[in-house]
Amino acid sequence: MLTAPAIVIDGATLTPTAVDAVARRGRSVELDPDARERNAAARGAIAALLDRGEPLYGATTGVGALRDRAIGDADRERFQWNLLRSHAVSAGRPLPPELVRAGMLVRANQLGAGGAGTAPALLDGLVAALNDGVTPLTRELGSLGTGDLPGLAEIALALLGEGQVWRAGELVDAPAPRQPIKLGLRDALGFMSSNAITAGHAALLSVDARALHERWLEVAALSFEALDADPVVLDARVQAGRGARGQAAVAERMRELLAGAPLDPRAPDRLVQDPYPFRVLPQVDGVANDALRTLEDALARELNARPENALIDEGRAFPTGNFHAAELGAALDGLRAAFAHSASLIAGRVSAILDPRMSGLTPFLAADPGPDSGHMMLEYTAHAAAAEARSLASPMAAQSVWASLGVESHASLAATAAARTAELLGAMSVLVATEMVVAVRALRVGGRVPAGAGVRALFEAAAESLPAGLEDRAFGRDVEAALNLIGIFDGVKAGG
């Protein structure tokens, strides 16, 4: 069996897909020599600055509101250790190891971009820990989106032999480094000055969200066939009438999924127009498609950024706010808002399919309406999941903080935005699974097999996983089976 090649950390080309491969699937990594050299060059520049007696934040001065306090040469190593230990304040539930691994990879790549100049042993330690399956313990609360300072401090301390790590599923004391690491210059702040953990989390979320978006379009195509909905709303000429890129992309994908389906909008019992959950699908889901692209664009920058304060470039130290994750936080906020609109539309399709006035089938798809309730209560499940998604769409941009005696008077709260996004994707996975269950039953009640080229495989897999009988039963178990099917098809659980 061939082993997949290592992901190369070069400081410039890291992608969400690569983050997923390393964080979740155990792909090995290797450090590009040029990336190592860029970090070493920045470190040399820091040493030269300090030799000339120039002030440097986090090296010759304290940090935050203590930036006016001088740090002498004799105290520099102790100061670096103190910074790491005092900033190691994450609290709450442990972060899943895959999220920590994602953050470790992102930070290694950013260090390789050459703006930090941290101790080479810390950079090498990140690479070794990723390849050895050693993941430092850090917890969910502490980042304000102006640097994942607590989590990165705990990762650095673990590389130095303090704290705890996950290894083979067990929580153990951090091992001593293979070679002693001497902290100096501005190693602590240089390592911590980044939102790498949040960026890594967002990268995984973008992979999940893209996969979920594709899955819900496939399920929507099943619903189109189940309701015999009019595909004219997907026509390219309709999309050209508005000119929205995301709308056109979604309509094109739906046309691919439904290619070959014998939908007949001219049948005598047809309504002149279908309900909104079908008619405005390209317009609404196109916004979700655009939001995904916006997040992916932001990540292309964030994963390969030089976010350090100060930024070391061309031998100079530039005070900077590049550590502030406003763009990433806004992209995550936008994704949740867009997905929440789509959640309402998905729940609306479930209601439409269960309505005999729309479907021409029995009420709630019951075998014997009255004695049998059919899928009556799955409408509740769908709308509860949609409500959960909408409740998580509130933008973190509407909040902010005041910290460090007012010196740090704004925050993106991107880490919180990422956490809420993960929860929203989880709720929407349940919603999509519920629509799948209802659409498959509607096709069965109608005695139909979907003919759309892009949905046959999904329907066949669902038909094997979902009980064929039309009797009343605990339909929540059907939803769980469909949820597992979504995970199998995507390779990951959305929001995981």
Side-chain angles (χ1 to χ4, degrees), residues 221 224-231 234 258 260-266 448:
F224 256 76
E225 294 214 41
L227 198 77
D228 200 21
D230 190 345
L234 308 174
L258 291 168
L263 305 177
D264 184 8
R266 294 173 299 279
R448 300 174 58 189

Side-chain angles (χ1 to χ4, degrees), residues 3-20:
T3 302
I7 300 294
V8 177
I9 301 171
D10 63 6
T13 62
L14 187 64
T15 66
T17 301
V19 174
D20 178 81

Side-chain angles (χ1 to χ4, degrees), residues 41-42 114 149 188 200 276 306 329 373 429:
L149 303 173
Y276 270 18
R306 294 184 295 162
S373 296
S429 295

Side-chain angles (χ1 to χ4, degrees), residues 24 32 46 57 95 109 158 160 165 242 255 273 290 455 462:
R24 287 175 167 156
D32 184 271
I46 291 173
Y57 181 71
L95 281 182
N109 189 65
L160 293 164
V165 299
R242 193 159 187 273
R255 293 195 301 271
Q273 290 188 340
D290 287 341
V455 296

Side-chain angles (χ1 to χ4, degrees), residues 206-294:
S206 75
V207 171
D208 292 345
R210 179 62 71 183
L212 181 61
H213 186 254
E214 171 62 17
R215 180 63 61 240
W216 91 51
L217 292 181
E218 292 179 6
V219 174
L222 280 179
S223 294
F224 256 76
E225 294 214 41
L227 198 77
D228 200 21
D230 190 345
V232 72
V233 299
L234 308 174
D235 192 285
R237 290 163 292 187
V238 174
Q239 319 318 316
R242 193 159 187 273
R245 182 170 63 169
Q247 173 183 330
V250 165
E252 181 180 13
R253 179 59 181 147
M254 290 295 292
R255 293 195 301 271
E256 292 172 353
L257 291 168
L258 291 168
L263 305 177
D264 184 8
R266 294 173 299 279
D269 58 346
R270 287 289 312 175
L271 297 172
V272 67
Q273 290 188 340
D274 289 312
Y276 270 18
F278 295 86
R279 187 155 31 112
V280 303
L281 182 150
Q283 291 78 11
V284 175
D285 289 350
V287 177
N289 188 76
D290 287 341
L292 271 167
R293 188 184 303 111
T294 297

Side-chain angles (χ1 to χ4, degrees), residues 332-422:
L332 289 164
D333 283 351
L335 184 77
R336 293 198 312 284
F339 274 39
H341 278 296
S342 291
S344 295
L345 209 65
I346 295 169
R349 284 198 295 274
V350 170
S351 292
I353 295 171
L354 296 177
D355 186 340
R357 298 169 299 174
M358 302 293 178
S359 69
L361 302 173
T362 57
F364 308 113
L365 308 178
D368 183 11
D372 294 342
S373 296
H375 278 181
M376 177 188 291
M377 293 306 298
L378 282 186
E379 186 175 24
Y380 285 55
T381 304
H383 283 276
E388 180 74 8
R390 291 192 299 269
S391 76
L392 294 163
S394 178
M396 298 314 300
Q399 304 184 32
S400 192
V401 299
W402 184 273
S404 198
L405 307 184
V407 172
E408 298 167 1
S409 57
H410 191 275
S412 71
L413 300 176
T416 308
R420 297 293 81 78
T421 304

